[in-house]
Amino acid sequence: MMNQKITDGVYLNILQTQQFKTIRLSIQFIAPATKVGLTKRSLLASVLSASSQDYRDQVAIANELQAMYGAGFNMNAYRQGQLAIFNVSMRIVSPQYLRDPQDLQQQAIAFIGRLLFKPDLVAQQFNPVVFEREKENMARYIASIADDKQTMASLALRDLYFTDETQQTPNFGDATDLAAVTATDLYETYQAMLNNDRVQMTLVGNIDEDKAHADLAQLTFVPRDSQLPAIFYQQPLSATVREATDEQPVQQGKLNLAYQIPTYFYQQNYYAMLVTNALFGGTPLSLLFTNVREKASLAYYASSGLDPFRGVITVQTGIESQQKDRVLAIIEEQRQAIIEGQFEQAVFEQTKLALINQFKSSLDSAAYLGQQQLNQLFVPETEIDADQFTNQVLAVTKQAVQEQAANMRLQAIYFLKGVDTNEA
């Protein structure tokens, strides 16, 4: 389905499919990511979904969703590469499965409209009671991350690896920036988002296109000229590896690594890099899992993750702190083993099949299909066909994987060192 222009900067994409018994609607507001913007948009999602002029509290919102046969609703904000995405999504039962003649699609779109366009305001700012409560909840959430050492180490690695402060900032934002946000500030952010962001609406399901246009006309978006950067963030390669160590009284040390890669989402060599990451640490068949965790018993967990919008592979491990140097060495040995082709053919084939199965099962999710539709707007090569994905993964050669492993450049090492009675 073509992406249809509703007005300047506002688009509708309809993915017509009989695959689901539900209809999924998502509306994304897309802007260039900024450090303070990530924090404000994250808070805005909490404030807008907590109450509105028509729904005074969460109970009223929950009752309305229940009346729509238990419709699913979500509002959140995140970053993808250099873009900040504010996402509103709803899932409703497809009309043909209802005995009742009520018009669920029209109701769901009206519900979104009431939350988005009629916020809970007092004197041209967000209701201070709701605003302060949601701000406090968010501050508590950010503070609680210090208790989750695995997440804390991942965020510390991100801080160390990225040189750009917007990229260093987590999706949910920053505690210092949050403390400075006022109810008036947030209302200005909201108005700017509503009037200036690129708007992308996506419908997935058995859709009557004419009816969809008529229902969505309830949402009156003004024309806008939204200039967006390229989605991919590319960081210059550093000649030195940045290292940082923190000490805390924890049982388990955390050793996390970041490698820069020259490969991006569905760009050249993407499939080879997918297989490389899966073989390195991305699946339970991987070398990190079998050799570092299972055989050498050097880690409580060991895995790798690929961020294809920012060109980075990260490694996460939980270890005995005194084993740091051995673990670093054995992680590098696994990368060298891939470069030299020292992996079993059977594992290579099974890894590819695991990636294919994962992709195929993702296609059973309307949310995933909607996300891939969004990705396709910024990265036209994005694949949503299972056969084409399968053929591309199966075509990845051993040599291509060896080359991708050689392209991984270690850039950052973060170590959360445990200092406790056992390791003093």
Side-chain angles (χ1 to χ4, degrees):
M1 181 73 214
M2 284 288 291
N3 198 34
Q4 305 163 46
K5 180 176 169 181
I6 303 298
T7 184
D8 288 350
V10 180
Y11 298 87
L12 170 63
N13 195 0
I14 296 177
L15 179 61
Q16 180 64 42
T17 172
Q18 308 259 346
Q19 189 180 345
F20 308 107
K21 291 185 175 175
T22 56
I23 288 174
R24 183 181 174 83
L25 164 67
S26 54
I27 302 174
Q28 275 106 3
F29 295 86
I30 306 161
T34 65
K35 177 175 181 284
V36 175
L38 288 169
T39 305
K40 287 183 177 177
R41 289 163 82 96
S42 187
L43 178 57
L44 185 59
S46 299
V47 169
L48 286 179
S49 58
S51 65
S52 75
Q53 288 171 37
D54 296 322
Y55 308 111
R56 302 312 296 182
D57 54 27
Q58 296 268 266
V59 175
I61 291 172
N63 288 343
E64 184 75 357
L65 292 170
Q66 200 50 49
M68 289 187 269
Y69 292 92
F73 171 74
N74 186 37
M75 204 182 269
N76 65 322
Y78 61 96
R79 177 210 13 246
Q80 202 154 346
Q82 299 200 94
L83 303 179
I85 300 174
F86 185 98
N87 173 62
V88 184
S89 59
M90 270 196 93
R91 186 194 68 253
I92 54 167
V93 178
S94 212
Q96 70 261 40
Y97 297 104
L98 293 176
R99 290 204 187 112
D100 184 344
Q102 71 168 311
D103 189 342
L104 264 193
Q105 180 176 290
Q106 189 273 332
Q107 284 178 29
I109 292 168
F111 171 80
I112 287 175
R114 286 195 285 269
L115 288 179
L116 272 181
F117 294 104
K118 296 173 72 180
D120 186 356
L121 300 181
V122 176
Q124 285 306 294
Q125 61 171 31
F126 285 111
N127 181 335
V129 176
V130 176
F131 171 80
E132 291 299 341
R133 184 188 68 220
E134 296 305 320
K135 182 176 170 179
E136 177 62 29
N137 287 347
M138 189 167 151
R140 269 206 296 269
Y141 169 74
I142 294 174
S144 75
I145 286 165
D147 299 329
D148 178 348
K149 303 305 176 192
Q150 200 170 337
T151 304
M152 196 197 104
S154 295
L155 294 177
L157 178 74
R158 170 186 290 182
D159 221 31
L160 187 63
Y161 172 78
F162 288 111
T163 52
D164 175 271
E165 65 173 14
T166 301
Q167 298 302 327
Q168 288 172 340
T169 306
N171 279 341
F172 52 77
D174 170 83
T176 309
D177 290 339
L178 176 65
V181 179
T182 66
T184 311
D185 282 341
L186 197 65
Y187 186 59
E188 286 168 8
T189 299
Y190 158 77
Q191 287 186 303
M193 181 182 91
L194 218 54
N195 295 322
N196 305 332
D197 278 21
R198 156 89 184 246
V199 176
Q200 180 62 48
M201 300 183 279
T202 305
L203 278 164
V204 179
N206 190 4
I207 311 291
D208 175 330
E209 196 174 320
D210 291 338
K211 183 171 181 340
H213 278 274
D215 289 344
L216 286 164
Q218 301 174 78
L219 306 178
T220 48
F221 291 112
V222 296
R224 72 270 325 273
D225 174 26
S226 57
Q227 300 296 319
L228 293 174
I231 193 167
F232 299 135
Y233 172 76
Q234 296 179 301
Q235 181 159 292
L237 196 65
S238 165
T240 56
V241 178
R242 291 188 280 280
E243 292 196 52
T245 300
D246 288 322
E247 290 195 6
Q248 285 196 7
V250 290
Q251 288 293 130
Q252 199 185 97
K254 312 287 175 195
L255 180 63
N256 290 12
L257 286 65
Y259 297 85
Q260 187 169 331
I261 51 169
T263 311
Y264 287 79
F265 192 69
Y266 288 99
Q267 303 303 290
Q268 190 179 5
N269 301 318
Y270 176 66
Y271 289 97
M273 186 52 86
L274 267 187
V275 177
T276 305
N277 175 60
L279 194 61
F280 181 53
T283 68
L285 299 164
S286 69
L287 301 188
L288 287 182
F289 191 88
T290 51
N291 295 336
V292 182
R293 183 179 177 270
E294 300 288 304
K295 286 185 190 165
S297 296
L298 278 175
Y300 301 102
Y301 61 87
S303 65
S304 68
L306 171 65
D307 183 340
F309 292 96
R310 301 196 283 178
V312 59
I313 282 179
T314 53
V315 171
Q316 302 79 35
T317 68
I319 64 169
E320 299 284 349
S321 289
Q322 66 268 35
Q323 301 285 6
K324 177 197 169 189
D325 293 339
R326 271 192 73 197
V327 174
L328 271 178
I330 200 167
I331 290 171
E332 178 55 20
E333 280 168 26
Q334 307 319 302
R335 191 177 75 91
Q336 289 300 330
I338 299 175
I339 293 170
E340 290 158 21
Q342 301 295 317
F343 48 87
E344 294 170 26
Q345 188 64 28
V347 170
F348 186 48
E349 298 303 333
Q350 283 173 314
T351 299
K352 288 183 180 183
L353 290 177
L355 283 171
I356 290 164
N357 288 336
Q358 186 184 0
F359 184 78
K360 284 181 175 172
S361 66
S362 297
L363 295 179
D364 289 335
S365 153
Y368 181 82
L369 284 177
Q371 183 61 49
Q372 289 291 81
Q373 293 283 320
L374 182 70
N375 292 340
Q376 222 168 26
L377 300 175
F378 299 103
V379 186
E381 305 85 351
T382 300
E383 192 55 75
I384 48 175
D385 181 279
D387 290 341
Q388 284 173 269
F389 183 90
T390 299
N391 293 336
Q392 292 280 7
V393 170
L394 291 177
V396 172
T397 62
K398 199 167 178 175
Q399 184 187 351
V401 166
Q402 290 173 253
E403 286 169 5
Q404 292 308 307
N407 280 337
M408 290 168 62
R409 296 276 181 269
L410 183 61
Q411 294 283 279
I413 299 169
Y414 175 76
F415 183 41
L416 178 61
K417 183 181 182 185
V419 281
D420 66 17
T421 47
N422 302 334
E423 295 185 9

